[in-house]
Amino acid sequence: MKRTLPLVLGFGAGLVMLLDSFFNIPFVNNLAQRYFMRSITVSVAWAVGIGSLNLLRIHFRNISQRRTNWMFSAWLVFVFGFMAFSGFFLVGHNQNPFYTFFYSSLQQNLSSTVYALNAYYMVSACYRSFRVRSMEAGALLVVAIIVMIGSVPLGAYIWGGFPLLQDWISKMVNDAAVRAMSIGVTLGSLSQSMRNLVGVERSYLGGEE
Amino acid sequence: MITVPDSVVAALQPLHVWLGALATLGMLSLLYRENPFYRFCEYTYVGSAGAHTLVTTFANTIKPGIQTQMIQNGQWWEILPICLGLLIYFQPVKRYSWLSRLPMGYWVGYNAGYALTMRTAMPMLTEVRRSILPPIVITSSGFDLMASINNIVFCTTVVLVMVYFIFSREVLKGRAAVLMNVSRVLIMMALGVGFGNGAITRVSLLIGRLDYLFADWLGIY
């Protein structure tokens, strides 16, 4: 029952969506479009807190057991509590100027810097992996360099053909390869969805009974 | 509900750029080596991001759902999906953790059914249709050599990349193995485009951060 019930529930939900798509049955269409679609939004929204709960569990454990860097865990819990309290209890919630002040000054800047830091790691990865060991590696190296040079004004300054070449490779080779990959991904997702629907794939239910 | 006086928010405004600059410098300090300042900023980021997700979901979905859908429109049936969503919180409780599988099963089943409908198949069929291009392009001014070459390159690339993913190495032996090698080069070229674009995007973000530090914070230019 502990494993069968979720499978039955999932099969029922999936079946209603399939029937809604392929058949014109007013009761099923209404059930799928009015109730099921909305129920997904609502149930997912109420379940979002599980991530925060796990985050807090881990850091409370760090604090209680005085693990390495437990002070930072305490700071994380404080920041979490402060932002959550401001967002939940201030007028306007996430639109409140007090909340948006901390969001825009801290969260936005930290987030942009984390993504910007990737530039360093990409250059570092370039240094380690861009050694031409095979024809494939050479193709990646040459194309990546053309794309990078062709994307900046300096590229056009060096040779006017760089932007055109970059555009041609992007539109012809890249678009075509990505399209073939997306067709493959769609076929894979269709087969995976079928496995999920009929209950062949059960790994998402966990290993325990 | 609590109201923060405007004077408090106005008093905080001068700190805005300073907080942003310190946060930026803290994160960038990782480039030197891992240090307590970076750790402090990292934990601030994780804590505020977690809280922000929660607050945004509450303000944009949960609260309007209760106020508008349930109380105003009388859609009290929404209590059922709410209860279903809340079952996920049994996950850490060992004895009742199986209850958290119910919402999981519902979400997976719903999305599987949704993916199997024409909503997924249609975009794929459109992609297939758009990939079949004429190898000889004749326009009003005559034969267009460049467009023809482009179409041939495009179609060949699509077919070869699909061949690479659909057929295994065991199937394509002998001369046919050459196709695999060509496909691999084409895939690597596509990955090179992705890598180049990714690198450029990240560098532009880095320039944005440096611009923030030098222009907004230090006011150098």
Side-chain angles (χ1 to χ4, degrees), chain A residues 1-3 5-6 9-10 13-14 17-18 20-22 34-50 52-53 55 57 59 69 72-73 75-76 79-80 83-85 87-91 93-94 97-99 101 103-105 107 109-122 126 130 136 139-140 143-144 147-148 152 168-177 179-183 186-187 190 193-194 196-197 204-205 208-209, chain B residues 1-4 9 12-13 15-16 19-20 23-24 27-28 30-31 36 39-41 43-63 65-66 69 77-78 81-82 84-86 88-89 91-92 98 101-102 104-110 112-120 124 127-128 130-131 146 150 153-154 157-158 161-162 165 184-193 195-200 202-203 205-206 209 212:
Chain A
M1 181 198 161
K2 290 176 181 176
R3 294 180 76 87
L5 202 59
L9 194 66
M17 294 313 292
L18 273 177
D20 168 54
S21 178
F22 292 107
R34 190 169 167 209
Y35 296 102
F36 274 52
M37 283 187 182
R38 175 73 190 150
S39 69
I40 283 289
T41 312
V42 174
S43 59
V44 168
W46 282 83
V48 158
I50 189 74
S52 305
L53 193 71
L55 180 78
R57 270 177 66 205
H59 288 283
N69 292 328
F72 292 117
S73 289
W75 172 247
L76 183 143
V79 171
F80 185 96
M83 291 293 281
F85 182 85
F88 284 129
F89 298 109
L90 294 184
V91 178
H93 303 295
N94 56 348
F98 187 77
Y99 181 85
F101 169 80
Y103 174 72
S104 62
S105 61
Q107 175 68 17
N109 287 306
L110 287 166
S111 174
S112 319
T113 316
V114 166
Y115 285 108
L117 267 179
N118 282 346
Y120 165 74
Y121 289 110
M122 289 191 94
C126 268
F130 270 22
E136 290 89 350
L140 190 141
V143 169
V147 168
M148 283 190 274
V152 292
W168 188 84
I169 293 171
S170 296
K171 280 186 179 156
M172 290 299 126
V173 182
N174 183 52
D175 281 8
R179 190 167 293 176
M181 285 181 208
S182 79
I183 291 168
T186 312
L187 289 172
L190 286 174
S193 299
M194 186 52 97
N196 282 333
L197 193 64
Y204 65 90
L205 296 175
E208 292 168 22
E209 188 48 50
Chain B
M1 289 303 226
I2 305 165
T3 312
V4 179
V9 179
L12 285 171
Q13 284 310 316
L15 294 173
H16 191 279
L19 277 177
T24 306
M27 277 294 180
L28 288 178
L30 179 69
L31 295 177
R39 281 260 169 201
F40 181 79
C41 292
Y43 279 66
T44 309
Y45 175 51
V46 176
S48 65
H52 182 67
T53 310
L54 214 57
V55 167
T56 310
T57 312
F58 173 76
N60 297 350
T61 315
I62 294 176
K63 196 180 171 190
I66 295 171
Q69 301 290 342
W77 65 267
E78 286 197 4
I82 289 173
L84 189 71
L86 288 174
I88 201 86
Y89 294 97
Q91 201 180 37
W98 68 275
R101 291 173 182 165
L102 290 170
M104 197 64 86
Y106 180 69
W107 297 329
V108 170
Y110 172 90
Y114 191 87
L116 283 169
T117 62
M118 291 306 279
R119 296 175 191 99
T120 310
M124 186 192 74
E127 295 270 283
V128 173
R130 282 172 56 202
S131 304
M146 202 56 216
N150 283 346
V153 169
F154 194 92
T157 308
V158 171
V161 173
M162 285 188 76
F165 284 113
R184 215 177 306 140
V185 171
L186 289 168
I187 291 167
M188 291 302 270
M189 284 174 79
L191 293 177
V193 173
F195 188 90
N197 283 330
I200 287 291
R202 299 305 192 281
V203 168
L205 275 171
L206 187 63
R209 288 291 81 208
Y212 181 82

